[in-house]
Amino acid sequence: MKLSKLALVAAAAITAASPILAGELVFPSLSYRTGPYAANGTPVADGFADYFTLLNERDGGIGGVMTKVIECETGYSTEKGVECYESTKGEGSLVYMPLSTGITYQLIPKVTADDIPMLTTGYGRTSAANGAVFSNVFNFPANYWQGASVAVNHILDQENGDIKGKTIALLYHNSAYGKEPIRTLEALAEKHGFDLTLLPVDHPGQEQKSQWLQIRRERPDYVVMWGWGVMNQVAIQEAANIKFPMDKFIGIWWSGSENDVIPAGAAADGYKALTFHAVGTDFPVFEDIQKYVVDAGKAAGTGENVGTVLYNRGMYGAMLAAEAAKVAQKMHGVAEITPSQMRDGLENLVMNDEIAAAIGFGGFGPNFEVSCANHGGPGLAAVQQWDAANQKWNLITDFMAPDMDVIQPLIDEDSAAYAAENNITPRDCN
Amino acid sequence: MSADFYYTIEVIINGLMTGVLYSLVALGFVLIFKASGVFNYAQGVMALFAALTLVGLQNGQIPFAPLINSIFGTNLSTFGWTLPTVVAIVLALGVMVLFAYLVERYILRYLVGQDPVILFMATIGLAYFMEGFGDLMWGADIKKLDVGLPQGGNVWLESATEGWAEGFYGFYIDNLDIWATFIAVVLVIGLMVFSQYTKTGRALRAVADDNQAAMSVGISLRAIWVIVWSLAGFVALVAGTMWGAKSGVQFSLSLIALKALPVLMLGGFTSIPGAIVGGMIIGVGEKLFEYSIGPMIGGATENWFAYVLALLFLVFRPQGLFGEKIIERV
């Protein structure tokens, strides 16, 4: 009798402890709300979580199945990110979005072996755009090499198409992330005849006096920045200090949030950054976020972040994952999809005006199609500029195409080298 | 003189001033180590916490607002008023004194007589606790800190020296760095006067020399620890304010402690002038190396070169430039 009671209690405990309820689509969130990059990690995680809350509250989940976000704190540490992956992959996790290039590099072989997809929107390993080699990794809608090319294209526009003899300085975080654009910029420098100056900044980037004294001495025509966290704020303040023209200072999309410009105050006015999605809250989805999530007291944060660049980015990433889940449900005719089916959904994702408008994201991001061969999309990006007086970013260009004539050979070369190193036979995508 | 010559001078001056900012962080370590033999791992986080408190008080931010809101369903964020900078500084200092008292009351009191490594481990725990506590109390968002100090290049100096050589654009020195240097000089003079000419200062020195002997003549070790941690809190407030004014107050501020370590290795853990001179040597050394050799080897040399420089000094003076020579009888 005692034994059967014990078994009953044990069974109840196991049921209670079970992390997944039947009929839940699990989306892990590898976030960082603590540590030196917390100020950036928090709004991204909030946007990601709030969008899935919206889907549950407004639509009853995705395809009739409720979603569940399981958050794991990485502190932007690669080791902790890998631990998070290992501890959550068994919970039915459909897709990983690690929000760190360092973690992404470590997870590429793991997700491939486990047949779980990974989506790195605007970060990670650029050559993962080659879906024939990187079957489980996706980096649409844009990657770093495309970002570098769009930055150069914008400079070309500013200089009436001729930048021969001009100097562009790349101020970059001295890490795998910061070094990503160098190869592309070197190729573009050769093509367009500009001089490239490389200025690495060591982590975390709190002290950049040497780099900015060099910029003041050498007077490059443009500075392009690949920074993150405190490096961005210090760089923008130092640029203002030496009176470097802000409209000639262009950051990658990870150097273009409100956090980066507000500490410099009015001096940051005119600073530019790339983006692969729109800014602000002037889209129907935000009305729903306000109504179903923030006003209902179900927001992941205080609600103050809604509409900021990084919140929007987290929400946009969640939307892309949710749309891919819908595609997977349709393709396989089941509501409760597996990670492998989710991979298929990501590989067949189509974002166009009609789909975007139907979910309240009309005009929020560029149109693109993912395919077996192309996991990176067309890489369209726009330029946003900071208006310090009104404390807001304004999009000042349309979404522009990168120079794929330069980038595609680099992607092919790098992915082929990865395939050779790891004994991967590229898939036949024809 | 060529432009290169003037630019080298500019690098040296900027290195000296950056070094002073490193020294401000190193000073906090020195004060606590000198008085208690504890290497305070939490000094960087103390600078962060002090700056967070200062900017929170200035902006009238309600402490623990997100926590209160999530428990009681309220929507609090600020009191609706702002405080003058001077008042906020005084109150922030009060918070750091309270913090010093609590550290003594709840941590150090129970560790008297323990091995130094135990005390060091306790400060590691304290650092992580304070980081989380600071996040809970003031939030993790980046805060603009404006204490009225001017920022940007000194226009007068720049225009007065412009054109001294062909291709020379005039000396660039950040006004904030000039102020930081001035404040650091006043701080060091104040600390030295305090330790030389006041009764409490003499008691601090007595404890630093021999705490057993100091206790035998009636000096309260606990009171001394509260005072010395309060002083370190004050220094942390100054350092956090200076660094926070440059980059905004954010959690990466705690990492400035990494910049203080080579300064301490070079200047010695027990010398206030050592922290200043060490900071300036590190500042000038790393900037000159980056300027002259950096471009040849790919740049980003400052972080590691500071440690190489400190290690070179250690080969010849293991106790640091101004540290006390360790003599142990066997």
Side-chain angles (χ1 to χ4, degrees), chain A residues 11-24:
Chain A
I14 289 166
T15 311
S18 176
I20 331 164
L21 295 171
E24 274 184 340

Side-chain angles (χ1 to χ4, degrees), chain B residues 65-113:
Chain B
L67 186 68
I68 296 167
N69 292 342
S70 65
I71 294 172
F72 299 105
T74 50
N75 193 23
L76 305 171
S77 60
T78 64
F79 289 112
W81 38 257
T82 55
L83 281 178
T85 301
V86 177
V87 178
I89 288 173
V90 171
L91 288 175
L93 188 58
V95 171
M96 296 313 289
V97 172
L98 177 66
F99 162 77
Y101 170 77
L102 294 174
V103 166
E104 193 283 323
R105 176 70 183 79
Y106 293 106
I107 300 175
L108 298 178
R109 181 175 291 193
Y110 302 103
L111 298 175
V112 175

